[in-house]
């Protein structure tokens, strides 16, 4: 019985195969016969379209899709080819030309990484909020700043002028420039950096009406890895009008930008161009940040150099870092440095910014050499 069923199935399959062959033969016969007689041209077009491959119907990815981005990257990475045949000898003799990288802003030195690629700079605490508070200070900020500035100003005044023996040369020049300079003109003071007490200790030489007034006291840059390591330290130094500077970020960083903004609004900014505490008292190459502040300021600030000796005796740079008393300190305030014509000439000649910053910084370095010699001589005469 089973064998009979299988035989019938096989017979039925052969019948279907024969029927399909007959159908195909009849179909192609009907197509070819009219074509041979030339009776139906439309049938020729129909049969011809059956042999034309259909175009690709998938949507072409654009640059906004993921596939489009991948295709764009592959296209950019694919090397360009030429249509003209080139011999192997010509290819080997011609140097390979690569596309130069896009230009990036210069940095303070070749050893320092760029601001947008800080590879080896460690920031122990996020300081972004500090710049926001300093740019838009609230009433609470001003109230807290008045308290901190007053307390630190009184301490500096007692330590510098009463506990130790300090002599200041040309003090009236600085006092007048702080309170009587033209409205809207900034003041940029630059000095050497021999001790951690330089700021705020130096400003103890000012009258209390200036040393304790947060409206006219200086803005100064402070190292982020020393003064801004946690929330409470950051708040204290922020209220003391200290701007966190990240060493190694170059001249294009928020600290330099904020100094330019403060000078543009007619405020007082103090800078230590040496960039660190110069414990060996050697002649260091000044950092170019001060050159950028001068070059990029919308209105040229009054540049006042000063030099001091003996601050490292008041607060030694060795442990236990205890302030001393009855030490001799000499502060020599130089004459204002007029760089208006010099900077304008650099801009008119379209000197590259990196070269311009270096030339401006070299001008300050020359003044420092002269001022240092004078101050050391004055300090030795007091011994």
């Amino acid at each position: 019985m089973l064998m009979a069923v299988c035989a019938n199935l096989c017979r039925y399959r052969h019948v279907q195969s024969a029927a399909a062959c007959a159908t195909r033969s009849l179909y192609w016969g009907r197509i070819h016969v009219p074509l041979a007689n030339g009776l139906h041209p439309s049938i020729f077009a129909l049969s011809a379209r059956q042999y034309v491959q259909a175009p690709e119907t998938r949507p072409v990815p654009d640059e906004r899709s993921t596939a489009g981005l991948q295709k764009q990257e592959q296209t950019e990475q694919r090397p360009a080819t030429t249509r003209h045949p080139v011999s192997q000898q010509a290819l080997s003799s011609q140097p390979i030309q690569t596309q130069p990288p896009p230009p990036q802003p210069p940095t303070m030195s070749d050893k320092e990484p760029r601001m947008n690629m800080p590879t080896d700079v460690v920031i122990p605490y996020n300081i972004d909020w500090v710049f926001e508070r300093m740019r838009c200070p609230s009433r609470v900020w001003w109230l807290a700043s008045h308290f901190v500035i007053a307390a630190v100003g009184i301490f500096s005044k007692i330590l510098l002028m009463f506990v130790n023996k300090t002599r200041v040369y040309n003090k009236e020049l600085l006092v007048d420039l702080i309170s009587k300079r033209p409205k809207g003109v900034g003041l940029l003071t630059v000095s050497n950096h021999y001790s951690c007490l330089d700021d705020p200790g130096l400003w103890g030489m000012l009258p209390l009406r200036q040393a304790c007034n947060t409206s006219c006291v200086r803005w100064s840059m402070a190292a982020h890895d020393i003064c801004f390591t946690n929330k409470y330290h950051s708040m204290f130094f922020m209220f003391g009008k200290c701007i966190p500077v990240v060493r190694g970020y170059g001249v294009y960083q928020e600290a330099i930008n904020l100094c330019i903004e403060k000078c543009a609004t007619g405020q007082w900014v103090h800078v230590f161009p040496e960039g660190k505490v110069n414990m060996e008292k050697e002649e260091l190459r000044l950092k170019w940040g001060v050159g950028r502040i001068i070059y990029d300021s919308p209105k040229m600030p009054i540049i006042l150099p000063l030099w001091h000796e003996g601050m490292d005796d008041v607060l030694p740079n060795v442990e236990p870092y205890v302030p001393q008393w009855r030490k001799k300190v000499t502060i020599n305030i130089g004459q204002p440095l007029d760089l208006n014509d010099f900077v304008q000439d650099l801009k008119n000649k379209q000197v590259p910014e990196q070269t311009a910053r270096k030339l401006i910084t070299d001008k300050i370095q020359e003044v420092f050499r002269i001022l240092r010699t004078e101050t050391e001589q004055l300090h030795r005469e007091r011994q």
Side-chain angles (χ1 to χ4, degrees):
M1 184 66 181
L2 181 61
M3 294 180 62
V5 172
C6 292
N8 290 333
L9 289 175
C10 291
R11 188 181 302 110
Y12 178 73
R13 186 176 300 171
H14 286 301
V15 171
Q16 281 187 333
S17 178
C21 292
T23 304
R24 285 196 297 269
S25 299
L26 180 61
Y27 174 78
W28 291 110
R30 288 182 179 179
I31 294 291
H32 287 287
V33 170
L35 286 176
N37 297 332
L39 297 177
H40 301 284
S42 61
I43 299 180
F44 175 79
L46 178 62
S47 61
R49 284 197 298 267
Q50 293 178 356
Y51 290 94
V52 176
Q53 185 178 3
E56 181 64 47
T57 58
R58 289 174 297 178
V60 179
D62 58 2
E63 65 277 5
R64 295 168 295 179
S65 62
T66 306
L69 292 175
Q70 296 176 355
K71 183 178 180 180
Q72 185 177 4
E73 293 177 357
Q74 294 175 0
T75 304
E76 294 175 353
Q77 296 175 359
R78 187 182 300 117
T81 58
T82 57
R83 296 182 180 272
H84 303 284
V86 183
S87 61
Q88 187 68 22
Q89 182 178 1
L91 289 175
S92 59
S93 61
Q94 295 179 357
I96 300 176
Q97 298 181 356
T98 58
Q99 186 178 1
Q104 297 182 1
T107 56
M108 296 172 62
S109 65
D110 296 334
K111 296 181 181 179
E112 296 174 351
R114 302 186 186 277
M115 185 187 69
N116 55 351
M117 293 185 297
T119 56
D120 56 349
V121 178
V122 179
I123 300 181
Y125 179 74
N126 184 17
I127 56 178
D128 294 338
W129 63 275
V130 177
F131 295 102
E132 298 177 1
R133 300 283 182 87
M134 289 183 172
R135 282 193 170 94
C136 301
S138 61
R139 293 183 179 180
V140 177
W141 189 96
W142 281 108
L143 181 62
S145 181
H146 274 291
F147 176 78
V148 173
I149 292 295
V152 175
I154 294 174
F155 170 79
S156 301
K157 187 73 173 180
I158 296 174
L159 181 64
L160 192 67
M161 304 303 296
F162 295 99
V163 178
N164 291 278
K165 303 175 182 179
T166 303
R167 184 175 297 178
V168 184
Y169 295 88
N170 300 326
K171 174 182 176 180
E172 296 78 11
L173 180 60
L174 177 60
V175 173
D176 292 341
L177 287 177
I178 292 175
S179 58
K180 298 180 182 180
R181 66 180 182 274
K183 186 177 181 180
V185 178
L187 175 62
L188 178 64
T189 54
V190 291
S191 72
N192 57 316
H193 200 6
Y194 281 175
S195 172
C196 295
L197 189 64
D198 292 346
D199 192 304
L202 285 174
W203 316 127
M205 64 178 172
L206 299 174
L208 285 177
R209 68 178 185 274
Q210 293 180 341
C212 300
N213 188 355
T214 188
S215 300
C216 63
V217 81
R218 92 289 170 266
W219 290 90
S220 181
M221 288 186 285
H224 78 286
D225 55 342
I226 298 177
C227 302
F228 294 86
T229 54
N230 55 54
K231 178 180 178 181
Y232 301 104
H233 292 173
S234 300
M235 293 181 65
F236 176 79
F237 286 100
M238 177 188 67
F239 294 140
K241 300 181 70 173
C242 294
I243 303 173
V245 59
V246 182
R247 297 169 180 172
Y249 265 25
V251 299
Y252 291 98
Q253 61 171 294
E254 284 298 307
I256 305 297
N257 296 337
L258 188 57
C259 288
I260 296 174
E261 295 173 11
K262 297 303 180 182
C263 284
T265 56
Q267 302 186 49
W268 173 22
V269 176
H270 181 76
V271 178
F272 296 106
E274 292 172 320
K276 66 176 184 179
V277 177
N278 188 4
M279 295 184 291
E280 292 80 12
K281 299 185 178 181
E282 56 184 350
E283 184 176 352
L284 300 176
R285 179 190 65 81
L286 302 184
K287 301 296 183 180
W288 295 353
V290 63
R292 192 203 162 202
I293 295 174
I294 297 173
Y295 186 80
D296 289 349
S297 292
K299 191 172 184 178
M300 179 64 62
I302 299 175
I303 306 169
L304 186 67
L306 59 97
W307 197 272
H308 58 84
E309 294 286 340
M311 290 296 295
D312 55 325
D313 295 330
V314 177
L315 183 64
N317 295 316
V318 294
E319 295 181 354
Y321 304 111
V322 177
Q324 306 297 313
W325 60 293
R326 300 186 66 181
K327 300 296 181 179
K328 292 182 180 180
V329 179
T330 303
I331 304 174
N332 186 16
I333 299 173
Q335 296 298 319
L337 184 60
D338 186 8
L339 295 179
N340 288 274
D341 297 337
F342 181 73
V343 173
Q344 189 61 41
D345 186 61
L346 294 175
K347 294 181 179 180
N348 294 338
K349 293 181 179 179
Q350 297 182 353
V351 177
E353 292 186 8
Q354 184 176 6
T355 305
R357 290 196 301 267
K358 180 183 181 301
L359 295 175
I360 295 172
T361 309
D362 291 343
K363 288 287 186 179
I364 299 177
Q365 187 111 43
E366 295 174 1
V367 175
F368 267 13
R369 293 192 185 102
I370 300 174
L371 203 58
R372 177 178 183 174
T373 304
E374 295 178 358
T375 310
E376 289 178 347
Q377 180 65 27
L378 294 172
H379 192 65
R380 283 194 297 267
E381 292 176 355
R382 298 182 56 194
Q383 301 297 333

